[in-house]
Amino acid sequence: MMEEDMENGRSYQERPRTFSTVRSKSSIPLVFRLLMRINPRALIILSLLVFSGVLYVGASTSPIVVFVFCICTLSLFFSLYLTKWVLAKDEGPPEMSEISDAIRDGAEGFFRTQYGTISKMACILAFVILGIYIFRNTTPQQEASGLGRATSAYITVASFLLGALCSGIAGFVGMWVSVRANVRVSSAARRSAREALQIAVRAGGFSAIVVVCMAVFGVAILYSTFYVWLGVDSPGSMKVTDLPLLLVGYGFGASFVALFAQLGGGIYTKAADVGADLVGKVEQGIPEDDPRNPAVIADLVGDNVGDCAARGADLFESIAAEIISAMILGGTMAQRCKIEDPSGFILFPLVVHSFDLVVSSVGILSIRGTRESGLISTVEDPMSIMQKGYSVTIMLAVLTFGVSTRWLLYTEQAPSAWLNFALCGLVGIITAYAFVWISKYYTDYKHEPVRLLALSSSTGHGTNIIAGVSLGMESTALPVLVISVAIISAYWLGQTCGLVDESGNPTGGLFGTAVATMGMLSTAGYVLTMDMFGPIADNAGGIVEMSQQPESVREITDVLDAVGNTTKATTKGFAIGSAALASFLLFSAYMDEVASFAQLPFKEVDIAVPEIFVGGLLGSMLIFLFSAWACSAVGKTAQEVVNEVRRQFIERPGIMDYKEKPDYGRCVSIVASASLREMIRPGALAIISPMAVGVVFRILGHSTGQPLLGAKVVASMLMFATVSGILMALFLNTAGGAWDNAKKYIETGALGGKGSESHKAAVTGDTVGDPFKDTAGPSLHVLIKMLATITLVMAPIFL
């Protein structure tokens, strides 16, 4: 066939390209496959019956829950509209569709294998949790409500598995839409830059709306089910203020899946990217995403499994953890203040995120296409278009947050308290905006830091690395100042709201911080949309390059790709800020849980005690060791990719002349197997470390007459890990994003453009930054929240 083509004068570019070597069977989850086999009319009837049952349970709980269910249902219909709108767009010429199919098949195949491995580990951990809870002590509140050990164990395990399942589905949704939208963005770029932008935003919006819906729906259904099943607030049963503690397992399950999804996906995408760049761009001098590069399909697959699937699970976990921690603190404060109807304080987070769905939907729809065609940068900056949508979302979020606080947080005991809490929410919204702006400043090549980093490339590879590291370190200062001001301001506003306990002491400080966290995440839907936009635009550029479209089309996708790098960096900064606040809240809940089980006061952690100080050191060490293993995993896997790509170029010299076709499937297979293998070690470290430290110091404490030593050492470990993890994640994410966009800036023609010595140095910096920004950095803020949830769930074994 190859010889006949050459004799007839047909080149590799002119022949149809197929990528059957990376095809795999469908990875649609079993529950979806079963639903697809049901008759459509029967499915509609079944859906109505399920919704009626859910609505009945909600009505038996609170009218607030019914409101949440209705908003979530309408939002799901909106997401279906976005799906239909995106899928109605054309896929372009056959060569684009073939490349897109190869990416989709590779992503779905890896997703099936990865989540199969994660599900097995989740089942093992579920049995461990069951054993711990069956043999643990019970609190006086649980004994008074008749909630025995077995019931508590089954509830926690069920919550854990449901959280893990929902997190997995959130990841699947993120990947499902991205592998179908990428080719449609590529096709639209041939006609209009604005249309390509709109398709990418709406595709990301579909995933974002579904993820937020699932997080809110999952917590609301779990809360309502436990409320009805346990007969909450009836004589001799559990109080509603204690109910949120039963939901902690849900957050732990979501964190568990998100951590391994982020690790596995991050190792996959960056190992393929590094391997493709080192051999293709540096050694062979061919463009990025060139079809002659054997690792290019693996690189494009990685964008979907690392940036879309993993980020969907990540944001799902962030929202779920924040909702549960705020519900716990709201219930605790309402109980201490003897508020007659505490349901408003407990369900407030669910209402805030219901409004988040509404305002984010409006923000997504505010980005419209135009009939003008041509390069988007000559008409309007795509980043400014997306920021306008974010501004619309923020303004609406401020209004709806004020309505929510007046509706649910008004109490006769302190008539002006709702206003203080509304201001706490405003603090959180301003903090979110500040984080987005700071991240944009340090990672967008329109600003000085990235341009200086690009300039450093003109003097060599070493100066580029030095400048990138220093930029990443400098970028930690402003976010820390912002988050510090936010915590103190929100705590002070909550403390002075007028709510006091039986002794007359102010009690609203921690809840004020929780409300600020809710304010920060009140635009999570739109922020996740911007995040999903990045990998979709990146994939679109790869498809355009591989299908050898005109240079004008590639210029459009290059601009969108550069904007996508910035939006991904800004959303990572946003996620780190929310992780800091959520971990602070979960830490407070952990201290209350320990005091409740031990029947001893636990209000402070004294790091002057040697054992507790050692716990702090171990927490900081955990962050560095985890980051090292994550980056090392990328390096080891990338070495395998580099060797394979070099082998193919040597053994198939016709690849460079388009006379032979690369074996894309071999690189996909190498990266998939290696990433699954390498994700186990850092993930196991994160899960085992806090439990091992707590048990060891518990034994030491009992032998020395210090019954709370194990719990205090774990608390110190959590505090130090949170502080170190926030700083490390900020450094890694910002440095990696800045290196990437410094390369993109040079590729626009600055400092010699593509192929210059400056460009080669910038490629080196980008290669170093790849595992920083897409593997270790994103995994760290998931690790921080998982440590907080695992210590809360496992608190009894530390006593």
Side-chain angles (χ1 to χ4, degrees):
M1 177 71 72
M2 184 72 66
E3 288 77 6
E4 292 176 2
D5 289 332
M6 295 307 297
E7 289 175 4
N8 294 331
R10 296 167 61 191
S11 68
Y12 174 73
Q13 300 101 307
E14 295 169 336
R15 290 184 288 107
R17 284 180 285 278
T18 58
F19 300 88
S20 57
T21 50
V22 296
R23 291 283 174 107
S24 174
K25 63 181 181 180
S26 174
S27 69
I28 298 175
L30 177 62
V31 63
F32 290 160
R33 293 203 301 270
L34 293 175
L35 289 175
M36 290 167 63
R37 295 176 183 174
I38 302 175
N39 182 278
R41 293 182 180 179
L43 186 60
I44 292 174
I45 295 173
L46 180 63
S47 300
L48 289 174
L49 289 174
V50 171
F51 179 71
S52 299
V54 169
L55 209 59
Y56 172 77
V57 172
S60 303
T61 305
S62 170
I64 301 171
V65 176
V66 175
F67 171 81
V68 171
F69 284 158
C70 291
I71 294 293
C72 287
T73 303
L74 292 174
S75 298
L76 286 175
F77 280 112
F78 174 70
S79 68
L80 292 176
Y81 160 74
L82 292 179
T83 308
K84 185 177 179 181
W85 187 91
V86 171
L87 296 182
K89 300 297 181 179
D90 70 284
E91 296 185 2
E95 56 267 26
M96 281 188 173
S97 299
E98 290 178 2
I99 297 166
S100 176
D101 288 344
I103 296 169
R104 183 184 66 209
D105 293 335
E108 290 181 347
F110 177 73
F111 182 90
R112 183 186 64 253
T113 307
Q114 181 191 29
Y115 275 76
T117 303
I118 293 173
S119 63
K120 293 174 185 176
M121 293 189 293
C123 290
I124 294 172
L125 186 56
F127 279 109
V128 172
I129 296 172
L130 182 65
I132 291 172
Y133 269 67
I134 285 179
F135 295 105
R136 73 170 192 169
N137 296 325
T138 56
T139 65
Q141 292 88 344
Q142 290 173 338
E143 293 176 357
S145 63
L147 189 66
R149 294 179 181 177
T151 304
S152 177
Y154 293 137
I155 285 175
T156 304
V157 170
S159 300
F160 171 80
L161 292 175
L162 181 62
L165 175 64
C166 290
S167 182
I169 294 174
F172 175 78
V173 167
M175 182 207 66
W176 186 90
V177 67
S178 67
V179 296
R180 287 161 177 79
N182 51 15
V183 68
R184 290 168 169 83
V185 175
S186 301
S187 178
R190 298 178 304 147
R191 300 185 296 272
S192 165
R194 187 67 176 261
E195 183 186 354
L197 171 68
Q198 187 184 23
I199 293 173
V201 168
R202 290 197 171 189
F206 159 75
S207 180
I209 295 298
V210 171
V211 167
V212 177
C213 261
M214 286 185 57
V216 177
F217 239 142
V219 175
I221 289 175
L222 210 57
Y223 177 89
S224 302
T225 302
F226 291 159
Y227 187 97
V228 174
W229 177 41
L230 299 174
V232 173
D233 274 348
S234 59
S237 64
M238 174 179 285
K239 294 181 180 179
V240 69
T241 51
D242 297 325
L243 182 56
L245 279 170
L246 299 180
L247 308 178
V248 173
Y250 185 84
F252 181 30
S255 300
F256 176 83
V257 172
L259 179 67
F260 281 98
Q262 190 69 71
L263 274 172
I267 294 169
Y268 187 112
T269 182
K270 289 303 107 181
D273 194 5
V274 169
D277 284 353
L278 285 178
V279 183
K281 296 171 73 173
V282 176
E283 294 182 8
Q284 299 295 330
I286 60 178
E288 186 174 1
D289 300 326
D290 192 289
R292 293 170 290 180
N293 194 326
V296 70
I297 289 291
D299 182 13
L300 296 175
V301 168
D303 291 333
N304 295 285
V305 298
D307 288 335
C308 291
R311 197 77 73 248
D314 177 9
L315 263 293
F316 173 87
E317 180 269 337
S318 294
I319 296 168
E322 176 265 329
I323 289 175
I324 293 169
S325 59
M327 291 175 77
I328 292 172
L329 292 176
T332 301
M333 189 192 70
Q335 186 177 29
R336 289 175 180 172
C337 298
K338 302 296 183 183
I339 293 175
E340 186 176 348
D341 183 12
S343 60
F345 288 85
I346 296 172
L347 298 175
F348 179 67
L350 295 175
V351 173
V352 168
H353 284 291
S354 298
F355 280 124
D356 170 22
L357 290 168
V358 176
V359 301
S360 295
S361 299
V362 174
I364 292 167
L365 291 176
S366 69
I367 297 178
R368 296 183 174 273
T370 65
R371 295 183 179 179
E372 298 176 7
S373 62
L375 185 61
I376 195 165
S377 60
T378 62
V379 181
E380 192 173 4
D381 177 20
M383 192 67 199
S384 67
I385 296 172
M386 298 189 73
Q387 282 190 318
K388 287 178 182 177
Y390 186 48
S391 299
V392 170
T393 306
I394 279 186
M395 287 188 292
L396 292 175
V398 171
L399 295 176
T400 55
F401 206 94
V403 171
S404 302
T405 51
R406 180 62 180 82
W407 173 25
L408 298 174
L409 302 185
Y410 178 82
T411 174
E412 294 293 341
Q413 294 175 231
S416 63
W418 72 271
L419 183 58
N420 281 47
F421 290 131
L423 293 175
C424 290
L426 183 61
V427 167
I429 292 172
I430 293 172
T431 301
Y433 190 83
F435 262 85
V436 169
W437 184 87
I438 292 168
S439 298
K440 178 177 176 294
Y441 174 74
Y442 278 108
T443 56
D444 193 335
Y445 62 60
K446 293 181 177 61
H447 300 291
E448 184 181 16
V450 174
R451 296 201 173 201
L452 290 175
L453 176 57
L455 182 63
S456 70
S457 303
S458 62
T459 53
H461 301 252
T463 50
N464 172 277
I465 300 301
I466 294 170
V469 170
S470 63
L471 184 150
M473 290 180 175
E474 179 187 320
S475 69
T476 63
L478 285 178
V480 168
L481 292 175
V482 169
I483 204 72
S484 301
V485 171
I487 290 175
I488 293 173
S489 300
Y491 188 90
W492 179 82
L493 285 168
Q495 198 76 347
T496 57
C497 72
L499 288 172
V500 295
D501 59 16
E502 292 177 323
S503 304
N505 299 317
T507 60
L510 281 176
F511 187 68
T513 309
V515 173
T517 309
M518 284 180 265
M520 189 170 186
L521 286 169
S522 63
T523 57
Y526 191 85
V527 171
L528 181 55
T529 298
M530 292 196 297
D531 188 79
M532 292 291 184
F533 166 87
I536 293 172
D538 192 357
N539 258 210
I543 292 173
V544 166
E545 182 71 40
M546 289 196 71
S547 60
Q548 299 171 355
Q549 298 298 310
E551 185 65 24
S552 59
V553 180
R554 180 69 202 196
E555 287 176 355
I556 292 175
T557 54
D558 278 347
V559 173
L560 294 178
D561 186 15
V563 171
N565 286 333
T566 302
T567 58
K568 286 191 291 184
T570 57
T571 50
K572 287 169 188 171
F574 173 89
I576 293 168
S578 64
L581 289 172
S583 297
F584 176 70
L585 303 180
L586 288 168
F587 177 75
S588 303
Y590 166 75
M591 296 181 73
D592 288 340
E593 180 84 342
V594 169
S596 178
F597 273 105
Q599 293 298 292
L600 293 170
F602 185 28
K603 296 183 179 297
E604 59 186 22
V605 178
D606 186 1
I607 62 171
V609 176
E611 294 89 346
I612 296 176
F613 182 72
V614 167
L617 284 178
L618 292 174
S620 297
M621 178 271 292
L622 171 63
I623 297 299
F624 283 84
L625 185 58
F626 178 89
S627 302
W629 284 0
C631 291
S632 174
V634 174
K636 290 178 182 178
T637 309
Q639 288 175 20
E640 296 183 39
V641 177
V642 167
N643 291 332
E644 172 60 23
V645 175
R646 284 174 176 169
R647 182 192 68 79
Q648 291 197 33
F649 278 131
I650 293 171
E651 296 180 2
R652 301 184 181 187
I655 289 176
M656 292 301 293
D657 298 324
Y658 297 99
K659 296 177 182 178
E660 290 186 80
K661 194 158 135 26
D663 184 357
Y664 302 106
R666 177 61 183 160
C667 288
V668 171
S669 176
I670 288 173
V671 178
S673 59
S675 58
L676 290 174
R677 181 180 67 248
E678 295 293 340
M679 77 176 185
I680 301 297
R681 188 170 64 154
L685 174 72
I687 295 170
I688 295 172
S689 295
M691 292 191 289
V693 169
V695 170
V696 168
F697 281 95
R698 169 194 173 179
I699 296 172
L700 180 62
H702 281 286
S703 64
T704 57
Q706 304 176 73
L708 290 182
L709 183 63
K712 289 181 177 180
V713 170
V714 170
S716 175
M717 182 181 188
L718 178 59
M719 283 193 298
F720 279 69
T722 300
V723 172
S724 302
I726 291 168
L727 293 172
M728 179 68 83
L730 286 169
F731 162 69
L732 295 175
N733 284 331
T734 308
W739 266 316
D740 196 348
N741 270 351
K743 179 198 68 176
K744 288 284 192 301
Y745 176 60
I746 293 174
E747 289 175 347
T748 62
L751 302 172
K754 292 183 180 180
S756 65
E757 292 302 315
S758 297
H759 183 238
K760 292 178 181 178
V763 170
T764 300
D766 180 35
T767 303
V768 173
D770 275 340
F772 284 18
K773 66 183 176 69
D774 285 324
T775 306
S779 298
L780 274 177
H781 69 256
V782 181
L783 171 66
I784 292 168
K785 288 173 287 186
M786 200 198 73
L787 288 174
T789 54
I790 196 173
T791 52
L792 188 55
V793 171
M794 301 294 183
I797 69 172
F798 306 145
L799 300 172

